[in-house]
Amino acid sequence: MKAAILKTLGQPLDIAEMPAPEIGTGEVVVNVVAAPVLSYANEVFNGKRRYMIDLPMVPGCGAIGRVRTSGPDATHLKQGDWVFCDPTVRSRDDALIPDITLQGWSARGEGGMRLQRHFHDGTFAEQVRIPTENAIRIGEIDTRDAARWCALNTMLVPYGGLLAANFQAGEILLVSGATGNFGSACVATALAMGAHCVVAPGRNEPALADLKRRFGDRVQTVKLSGNEDDDRERMRACAPGPIDCVIDLLPPSATTTTVRAAVMAVRPYGRVVLMGGVGMLGGDGLDLPYPWIMRNDITVRGKWMYSPEAVTRMTGLIRAGLLDLGHFDVTAFALDDANEAVAHAAANGGPFRMTVVRP
């Protein structure tokens, strides 16, 4: 089969033929129809993100495809089923504290690296081998829509945070990082879940205006000034009531003061979910006042990725017409042009923009 192979950090992907994956028990081979190219893929491939990866490797984080073959433990999947290839691979030998790797992308710790060495190659290829539980059916779709369904890859991340926060219909949410790729997807997802209002702070005025244009008065935008106390009060003031939940999705380049301004806008007894990248490249830690957390009964939790059932739930939101994939502007590249796709994704990131490879 043909694949794009990352052989060395800092070098272009090599488009070459390689052996097709061989299936084992507990595994599924999927014909890849469309694979998303993350906007920061270039930073992974050049080593800037310092991700744990075992080279050479076929990269690619998630995909939409059709089942080619499945193992004897698969009781529902059948050949030709449309599936989302969930890149979040969990070890199966400890349900309490599983090791995790993002197939074709990154690992976490030594256990994650061991897992990556088996589920090694990602989706920039004509076929991919994944764990049975990671081939999640999405129902029949038109082949022409497969690239747009890759938006699942983006929307599932904030959806995982909202589910972890037990976010409820009728609540008010503040999305820290609302003008980014994941943040804008969070705004759309929260509204689909029945949010009363989403507070969307940011510095990018055109992006803020675009959120308002797309979603109307249920989104209240705030132009950040950089003054932590002033920004916090303005976020609170624009909300139609106390802010029930804050989710942070800011990138590594953001400051901890920007995070704290949003986090501490939450109401007493409120919830905070941290899902961004602040601090991953070094710098200050997030300093939150102990008395404020304790006396106001604030719940603060981290969340990485999402639970497996989130895929099925989000597919239901899309099928019901509550979450519109039409928001996403998709640019597709052939597998032969994977390097051009990576460059395009880096130059054209941001809200509701998506680059995909179509093997």
Side-chain angles (χ1 to χ4, degrees), residues 128-194:
V128 64
R129 175 177 57 90
I130 61 177
T132 302
E133 63 271 23
N134 287 57
I136 303 173
R137 293 176 297 167
I138 60 173
E140 286 298 313
I141 66 172
D142 192 308
T143 303
R144 294 170 296 182
D145 294 332
R148 201 170 298 279
W149 273 85
C150 284
L152 276 173
N153 214 63
T154 300
M155 294 188 298
L156 278 164
V157 173
Y159 188 46
L162 294 171
L163 292 177
N166 193 30
F167 185 73
Q168 300 294 311
E171 290 192 312
I172 297 173
L173 175 72
L174 191 157
V175 180
S176 179
T179 58
N181 192 27
F182 289 112
S184 58
C186 186
V187 172
T189 302
L191 293 174
M193 294 172 69

Side-chain angles (χ1 to χ4, degrees), residues 22-243:
E22 295 183 2
I23 194 171
T25 300
E27 298 172 354
V28 174
V29 173
V30 175
N31 290 325
V32 179
V33 179
V37 183
L38 303 190
S39 60
Y40 60 91
N42 63 321
E43 296 181 8
V44 176
F45 301 164
N46 66 22
K48 182 179 179 180
R49 289 267 175 155
R50 297 186 289 191
Y51 282 2
M52 296 178 68
I53 51 178
D54 183 36
L55 299 180
M57 177 183 76
V58 176
C61 188
I64 300 295
R66 307 192 78 168
V67 172
R68 183 182 183 92
T69 53
S70 57
D73 64 322
T75 61
H76 294 278
L77 291 172
K78 61 182 184 298
Q79 188 177 37
D81 278 348
W82 283 100
V83 294
F84 171 67
C85 300
D86 185 355
T88 314
V89 179
R90 297 170 174 85
S91 59
R92 296 161 168 164
D93 53 351
D94 194 325
L96 184 63
I97 47 172
D99 287 301
I100 297 179
T101 192
L102 293 183
Q103 186 170 350
W105 204 246
S106 68
R108 190 176 69 184
E110 177 54 32
M113 283 299 296
R114 289 172 59 193
L115 198 58
Q116 186 189 90
R117 292 183 189 109
H118 181 70
F119 291 108
H120 183 252
D121 292 323
T123 53
F124 287 7
E126 293 176 322
Q127 299 173 33
V128 64
R129 175 177 57 90
I130 61 177
T132 302
E133 63 271 23
N134 287 57
I136 303 173
R137 293 176 297 167
I138 60 173
E140 286 298 313
I141 66 172
D142 192 308
T143 303
R144 294 170 296 182
D145 294 332
R148 201 170 298 279
W149 273 85
C150 284
L152 276 173
N153 214 63
T154 300
M155 294 188 298
L156 278 164
V157 173
Y159 188 46
L162 294 171
L163 292 177
N166 193 30
F167 185 73
Q168 300 294 311
E171 290 192 312
I172 297 173
L173 175 72
L174 191 157
V175 180
S176 179
T179 58
N181 192 27
F182 289 112
S184 58
C186 186
V187 172
T189 302
L191 293 174
M193 294 172 69
H196 172 197
C197 174
V198 177
V199 178
R203 290 186 172 85
N204 186 330
E205 291 187 87
L208 292 173
D210 182 63
L211 287 172
K212 193 73 172 177
R213 177 187 64 80
R214 290 176 188 271
F215 301 114
D217 290 340
R218 290 176 68 198
V219 173
Q220 293 297 316
T221 61
V222 179
K223 176 67 164 62
L224 295 176
S225 67
N227 181 290
E228 180 181 337
D229 293 333
D230 289 348
D231 286 340
R232 182 180 302 118
E233 290 309 311
R234 291 170 62 232
M235 288 183 237
R236 287 173 173 160
C238 80
I243 295 168

